[in-house]
Amino acid sequence: RRLKPPPPTQDNNKMTLPFAHVLATGLERLATRAEAAQDANELSVFDAVREPSISVSDYLKRLLKYSQCNNSVLVCTLILIDRVVLDGGLRLSMRNVHRVLLTSVLTAHKFLDDQFYANSYYAKIGGVSTREINTLEVEFLRLLRFDLYVSEEEFASYNTELARLDAEHRCKLAAAAKGSCGGKWPAATASQQEVAAQ
């Protein structure tokens, strides 16, 4: 069932989830590095004409503020992006990472929740047209081979790692303020090092 858009006066800032920062930072770093090696002619339907002026972090905060996603949606958002990059062959760049993120949030929300917003609403908060977001959704599903299943083990692995990286990020902030972190963290796996880098 489709949800009605929240009232303009509703305070949705509380929807900023714990590890949104590490997710957004990791995606931005991946996109920046991949862009350096990208062929100028290697474009996809996700590529904008120019790089958006809004940062990935601020864009994700906007999506979370207005979409009312829960923590599980955000975890699955990263899982789906990993799949389209690692298995679907999509190369992230600063021209497409925002639209990839938008489409992944939309797809994960629809898959996990019985109640979700219409594509036209996601288009509005994401800064694209309804026709465009429909096209992005179809292409995203094609890259996923329409396989949205996430096992409990896969979900737990991503959830645990994102929570760990968020705790590490908060510890670094505390260390900067107090001069000490007081904890040691295990090294992230190779596939998670970009998200871990701060």
Side-chain angles (χ1 to χ4, degrees):
R1 187 167 68 89
R2 292 180 179 176
L3 291 171
K4 294 182 179 179
T9 57
Q10 181 174 334
D11 181 11
N12 293 319
N13 289 325
K14 60 185 179 180
M15 295 308 299
T16 301
L17 301 174
F19 40 70
H21 173 79
V22 293
L23 172 58
T25 301
L27 288 176
E28 191 160 335
R29 288 178 180 271
L30 279 172
T32 301
R33 292 192 179 185
E35 191 170 42
Q38 188 176 29
D39 188 326
N41 297 317
E42 187 181 353
L43 300 177
S44 71
V45 295
F46 296 97
D47 284 273
V49 176
R50 63 183 63 85
E51 179 181 332
S53 58
I54 186 171
S55 70
V56 178
S57 181
D58 287 342
Y59 190 71
L60 179 56
K61 287 177 183 178
R62 175 178 171 81
L63 296 182
L64 295 180
K65 178 179 180 181
Y66 292 106
S67 68
Q68 301 184 29
C69 292
N70 58 36
N71 195 61
S72 297
V73 170
L74 194 54
V75 174
C76 286
T77 292
L78 178 58
I79 292 174
L80 297 182
I81 291 175
D82 265 3
R83 288 182 184 177
V84 297
V85 171
L86 298 176
D87 301 326
L90 179 67
R91 188 190 295 271
L92 287 181
S93 73
M94 290 308 297
R95 287 173 59 183
N96 67 27
V97 66
H98 298 76
R99 294 181 182 194
V100 171
L101 181 57
L102 168 65
T103 312
S104 190
V105 168
L106 176 151
T107 305
H109 200 177
K110 282 186 174 182
F111 180 68
L112 291 176
D113 292 342
D114 292 331
Q115 297 183 330
F116 52 84
Y117 294 112
N119 281 19
S120 57
Y121 179 72
Y122 271 104
K124 183 176 181 179
I125 65 175
V128 299
S129 68
T130 301
R131 180 177 181 179
E132 185 172 19
I133 202 167
N134 291 339
T135 299
L136 296 177
E137 182 183 20
V138 171
E139 177 63 10
F140 195 76
L141 290 170
R142 187 190 69 79
L143 292 173
L144 289 169
R145 299 180 178 86
F146 295 88
D147 180 13
L148 301 178
Y149 174 73
V150 177
S151 68
E152 291 183 12
E153 294 77 14
E154 185 177 24
F155 180 90
S157 175
Y158 274 79
N159 184 66
T160 299
E161 185 61 19
L162 280 171
R164 183 189 71 79
L165 294 172
D166 176 68
E168 186 176 43
H169 169 68
R170 292 173 187 275
C171 188
K172 288 179 180 179
L173 293 179
K178 300 179 181 179
S180 175
C181 184
K184 293 184 179 180
W185 301 91
T189 61
S191 62
Q192 296 158 334
Q193 286 178 355
E194 290 297 338
V195 177
Q198 297 295 320

